[in-house]
């Protein structure tokens, strides 16, 4: 193996030390990475990325791109002896408030970008629970969503253009710098959510949203999930488009320090001056179940804080239980949420595992969490995930709402899509990465 | 040619009469269709579409899919001896207000869908000028936008799932019925905007938006486009996200019955009760230029009426001038709009043609219209379009913001994207349509 090229090109940005490299071979899921990698490189320019891909083609070395490796389906894990490519050094940020766009490097963290944008009254609306560390490149390649998704959608709605290096070493400039374009096939959104398997993102043009004037939010307690979901539907039917509609089931609410009851966090962005009326409206829909309210954009975001604490609470519990944490990600049509919740609870009983249920209920998206004892190995968890997938597909849902396919869902998307679609996906992969050097073993 | 199959399968839904078929070979652009087609078929089921594609593969017959043929770049024109496939009989509409989605056939007209949706307090936000006749299938295959795009984006943002028959005769079910999914590569958005060249859409799952509680709008006159654009930028910077920001230049405003001055239509959706304050805010930004105001959702939509009259006025003028109408579609970053307007005016002078300028200024999108005398042939118009493309690409813009590539822009997208991207697009086309029977001659 000619690592001379890596040493020459990247200098001390090529880390060969196997104990350091071992930190980079897995992501936030329980998928164990291949620890015997050649090392980690930290490119700083697109030119370096092109050279790297050409070298990888020549030597048939798999490349495993990474932002902050916060993925939850093994998307960012090394699956073979290869090289981890970390984009954390590509952190350019150019904001153009007049045009309402930002041009950024893939390594910029979402939260850091938002700190910059706040000065101009703009924000990047996609807010995965991991946004303090998650990078723009990782969020794009993962097609990430978040709590504000009920109103603002996912990353695919906020990327205008990309620069990408394909697995053939070509640099593609796709999309545009304007708010819309129709210049042929939508390659931008083909790269969004492709998990690094079609190309390496070296730059992104993002669309920015003006920070809403104001917002209101309520936190409400329920004794059952059915009326909770009905209330969310009634909010939308009353011509109010929620900004967020987050759910925690009773045990989960207790874990983050709330009452042990099914909990709804419901937020709406409003005009200044309209707070009181919309709040009354929400209160009348949620009928006497309101435990606390928030007025103003920052206050509404603060009301979500317990919800944002969920992950660390889960990690803590799983560790205390000596277990391997599994955070799942499924969605069903909103009306099917009560069925999904009941089904998931039954499933957890069957497997004899704990179950914490939270999710973006405005999107029909649940993130069931559980943990398995380490000595049980990953097999039991994988079986559990498959049964979960069968359950939600049976309800007209999806096996992955936002976390993506990675290695964990690779065999499960067929349940939902059928085999023909997978054949086409494999052929697309071949167009962009005929040598299978880009994040092999994921998606297709 | 075995038309026996067509007669047997489609009965009187196969129209062989060449004078009727001639009505279907072109769209709303000046591109002349191939009149010597075999006829028009009107499928009613997906099964018929599959049989049709298999027959077309066997006999190497090009298929030209059509909704209402309102395309403006030759997207829906027949370019060879083949068969027009009209989807106007596939008009299923299933609305699920609880889940906030609708499942529709490709032949449903946008306006008809909205009439149905109004009963539930929902709407489908994409509103091309042609929405009275444009179909959902045509809008999806065209990736259409419209006046409310400043807030609501384009069709790509409102399609959750599709059923599609590829050029290999396979039925693909892509996307999902939930508000988001990450089940592999985003094939939904690969079909959106593919102009019938990758697959025939037989069903779509659409995401619905709640009708906003209220809205306000102003119509304002300017003596120059620069302060007009500045005002649009200032609105966004003051944390107001416009619903629409439409522009007509002075001659165009006169044509639709307004004062002969540069005109801005600015609308914002607001909460009930916030109308007065937001209206004052708009008025203070637009400083004394306001000619009329509207309060309430329907009133705001009504204020746009003169803008919606533009097309028929243009058709009328072009006909009176004995000319062939050219309606173009370009976009530039918002700050570059004044440069674009100046450049376009110069170009029209150079060619000695009239110029009517209107557009979705909130998206940086201009629709320059002009007409050429019939005896000049299409060559002069095509040259004009190329120079226009060079101008906007030089300003960092796009040669097509929403009308698509069709035959007219096929050679122009390279200006913007470079040749490498086109190579990949051609390879994608081969994956989905290896026999080149789906709308050949368009995009790739
Ligand atoms: C606590 C927690 C909460 C989370 N909450 C959410 C949530 O609410 N919504 C959600 O969608 N996700 C969530 N996630 C998952 C994940 O954090 C997000 O998808 C995030 O955007 C990933 O960013 P990253 O920088 O860590 O990417 P990584 O995990 O490093 O990479 C993501 C994928 O992109 C690829 N990649 C990275 N950079 C590039 C590049 N430059 N070019 C090409 N490919 C690249 C990787 O190979 C991988 O396949 C959560 C994760 C955690 C741990
Ligand atoms: C007055 C006027 C105003 C307009 N304003 C706008 C505007 O504001 N914004 C905008 O974006 N466009 C606009 N357009 C362009 C056009 O009307 C829209 O794109 C519209 O959505 C097309 O719908 P259609 O049913 O007429 O499609 P068609 O023109 O029939 O077809 C559009 C494309 O889709 C293909 N196609 C049709 N049905 C299917 C199917 N079932 N499966 C696969 N492929 C299919 C066709 O081959 C063609 O390539 C305007 C046009 C006119 C005449």
């Amino acid at each position: 193996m000619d690592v001379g090229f890596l040493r020459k090109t990247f200098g001390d940005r090529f880390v060969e030390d196997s104990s350091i490299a071992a930190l980079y071979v897995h992501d936030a899921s329980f998928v164990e990475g291949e620890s015997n990698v050649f090392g980690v490189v930290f490119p700083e320019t697109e030119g370096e990325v092109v050279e790297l891909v050409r070298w990888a083609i020549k030597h048939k070395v798999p490349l495993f791109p990474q932002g902050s490796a916060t993925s939850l389906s093994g998307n960012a894990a090394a699956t073979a002896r290869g090289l981890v490519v970390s984009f954390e050094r590509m952190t350019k940020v150019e904001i153009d408030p007049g045009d309402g766009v930002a041009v950024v490097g893939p390594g910029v963290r979402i939260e850091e970008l938002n700190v910059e944008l706040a000065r101009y009254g703009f924000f990047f609306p996609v807010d995965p629970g991991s946004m303090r560390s998650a990078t723009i490149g990782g969020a794009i390649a993962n097609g990430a969503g978040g709590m504000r998704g009920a109103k603002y959608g996912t990353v695919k709605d906020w990327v205008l253009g990309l620069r990408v290096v394909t697995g053939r070493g070509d640099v593609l400039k796709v999309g545009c710098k304007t708010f819309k374009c129709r210049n042929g096939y939508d390659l931008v959104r083909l790269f969004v959510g492709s998990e690094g398997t079609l190309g390496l993102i070296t730059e992104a043009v993002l669309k920015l949203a003006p920070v809403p004037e104001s917002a209101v939010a309520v936190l409400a307690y329920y004794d059952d999930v059915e009326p909770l979901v009905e209330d969310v539907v009634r909010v939308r039917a009353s011509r109010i488009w929620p900004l967020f509609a987050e759910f925690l089931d009773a045990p989960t609410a207790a874990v983050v320090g709330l009452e042990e009851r099914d909990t709804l966090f419901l937020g709406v962005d409003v005009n200044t001056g309209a707070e009181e009326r919309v709040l009354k409206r929400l209160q009348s829909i949620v009928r006497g179940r309101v435990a606390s309210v928030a007025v103003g954009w920052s206050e509404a975001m603060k009301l979500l804080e317990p919800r944002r604490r969920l992950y660390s609470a889960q990690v803590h519990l799983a560790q205390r239980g000596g277990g391997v944490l599994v955070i799942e990600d499924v969605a069903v049509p909103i009306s099917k949420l009560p069925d999904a919740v009941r089904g998931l609870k039954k499933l957890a009983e069957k497997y004899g595992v704990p179950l914490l249920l939270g999710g973006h209920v405005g999107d029909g998206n649940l993130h069931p969490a559980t943990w398995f004892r380490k000595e049980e190995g990953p097999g039991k968890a994988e079986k559990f995930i498959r049964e979960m997938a069968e359950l939600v597909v049976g309800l007209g849902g999806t096996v992955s709402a936002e976390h993506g396919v990675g290695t964990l869902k690779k065999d499960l998307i067929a349940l939902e899509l059928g085999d023909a679609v997978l054949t086409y996906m494999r052929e697309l992969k071949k167009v962009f990465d005929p040598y299978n050097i880009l994040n092999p073993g994921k998606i297709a």
Side-chain angles (χ1 to χ4, degrees), chain A:
Chain A
M1 173 55 49
D2 168 28
V3 294
F5 157 80
L6 298 173
R7 288 189 194 128
K8 210 183 87 208
T9 310
F10 294 99
D12 58 8
R13 290 183 286 115
F14 168 45
V15 174
E16 293 181 74
D17 184 318
S18 63
S19 57
I20 296 182
L23 300 174
Y24 283 82
V25 299
H26 57 79
D27 56 21
S29 70
F30 65 87
V31 174
E32 281 182 30
E34 162 63 54
S35 57
N36 187 21
V37 294
F38 297 113
V40 189
V41 289
F42 299 85
E44 283 179 353
T45 66
E46 184 177 87
E48 287 177 355
V49 176
V50 172
E51 278 189 72
L52 181 65
V53 169
R54 293 205 180 129
W55 171 86
I57 293 172
K58 195 165 146 201
H59 298 284
K60 298 198 168 48
V61 176
L63 300 178
F64 298 101
Q66 267 184 14
S68 292
T70 62
S71 291
L72 288 167
S73 308
N75 325 25
T79 51
R81 186 155 160 74
L83 195 67
V84 175
V85 186
S86 168
F87 286 92
E88 59 187 52
R89 307 277 291 244
M90 292 180 76
T91 54
K92 175 179 83 170
V93 176
E94 286 169 16
I95 297 166
D96 192 325
D99 292 336
V101 301
V103 182
V104 302
V108 174
R109 290 167 199 267
I110 298 177
E111 178 131 316
E112 281 167 12
L113 176 63
N114 276 328
V115 168
E116 294 287 312
L117 291 176
R119 292 197 287 150
Y120 303 97
F122 283 109
F123 75 127
F124 182 70
V126 183
D127 61 341
S130 53
M131 71 179 172
R132 297 232 162 100
S133 36
T135 64
I136 294 291
I140 292 173
N142 261 359
M147 309 221 185
R148 296 185 289 233
K151 181 72 169 262
Y152 287 100
T154 63
V155 140
K156 74 174 192 314
D157 305 315
W158 300 94
V159 184
L160 300 173
L162 292 174
R163 292 184 68 96
V164 174
V165 182
T166 70
R168 290 148 70 169
D170 294 317
V171 175
L172 304 187
K173 184 183 150 288
V174 298
C176 48
K177 280 199 174 182
T178 51
F179 282 177
K180 57 194 184 196
C181 49
R182 279 280 295 101
N183 47 21
Y185 303 133
D186 188 348
L187 298 190
V188 171
R189 263 142 292 266
L190 194 57
F191 288 116
V192 170
S194 67
E195 300 178 17
T197 64
L198 301 180
L200 304 177
I201 298 162
T202 55
E203 188 179 282
V205 185
L206 306 177
K207 180 176 166 179
L208 307 175
V211 179
E213 289 191 327
S214 188
V216 295
V218 301
L219 188 153
Y221 288 125
Y222 294 78
D223 293 317
D224 189 14
V225 72
E226 208 139 347
L228 184 152
V229 168
E230 273 166 21
D231 282 357
V232 173
V233 170
R234 284 166 61 222
V235 168
R236 278 176 57 91
S238 69
R239 297 174 61 170
I240 293 177
W241 191 351
L243 170 65
F244 55 78
E246 293 292 312
F247 159 68
L248 295 179
D249 75 353
T252 313
V255 160
V256 298
L258 299 170
E259 281 187 30
E260 189 166 347
R261 293 175 68 193
D262 288 336
T263 307
L264 175 67
F265 305 76
L266 190 61
V268 184
D269 52 322
V270 300
N271 294 112
T272 311
E275 292 93 344
E276 206 182 319
R277 201 188 52 81
V278 177
L279 199 53
K280 273 209 189 112
R281 199 78 182 277
L282 291 186
Q283 282 169 319
S284 85
I285 291 174
V286 176
R287 283 158 311 187
R289 293 190 164 99
V290 174
S292 61
V293 303
V295 172
W297 177 259
S298 331
E299 293 306 311
M301 291 297 133
K302 250 184 231 150
L303 181 130
L304 270 177
E305 278 304 322
R307 171 67 183 86
R308 292 203 193 270
R309 278 202 300 274
L310 180 57
Y311 178 70
S312 48
Q314 287 167 337
V315 171
H316 187 71
L317 277 173
Q319 280 170 346
R320 222 175 43 189
V324 180
L325 183 63
V326 175
I327 299 188
E328 259 310 307
D329 168 46
V330 295
V332 292
I334 296 183
S335 61
K336 293 292 183 336
L337 274 168
D339 291 340
V341 169
R342 272 188 295 271
L344 290 167
K345 285 183 175 167
K346 247 190 230 160
L347 198 63
E349 262 170 46
K350 177 175 157 187
Y351 277 75
V353 290
L355 183 72
L356 295 183
L357 266 181
H360 314 304
V361 80
D363 289 339
N365 184 185
L366 293 172
H367 290 309
T370 186
W371 43 96
F372 290 83
R373 288 196 311 283
K374 277 219 181 71
E375 35 319 344
E376 293 173 320
K380 191 172 168 192
E382 279 162 21
K383 258 194 216 142
F384 178 78
I385 294 174
R386 169 167 280 270
E387 281 205 56
M388 191 176 285
E390 284 164 358
L391 169 73
V392 296
V393 171
L395 293 170
T398 179
V399 302
S400 175
E402 46 178 34
H403 291 174
V405 181
T407 58
L408 283 179
K409 303 281 177 90
K410 197 161 183 271
D411 297 332
L412 300 180
I413 52 175
L415 290 176
E416 187 181 336
L417 297 172
D419 289 330
V421 175
L422 299 191
T423 306
Y424 282 77
M425 287 190 186
R426 265 177 239 122
E427 293 182 25
L428 290 186
K429 164 79 171 172
K430 274 192 198 130
V431 169
F432 289 91
D433 182 26
Y435 313 107
N436 198 27
I437 52 164
L438 296 184
N439 212 4
K442 323 288 168 70
I443 298 190

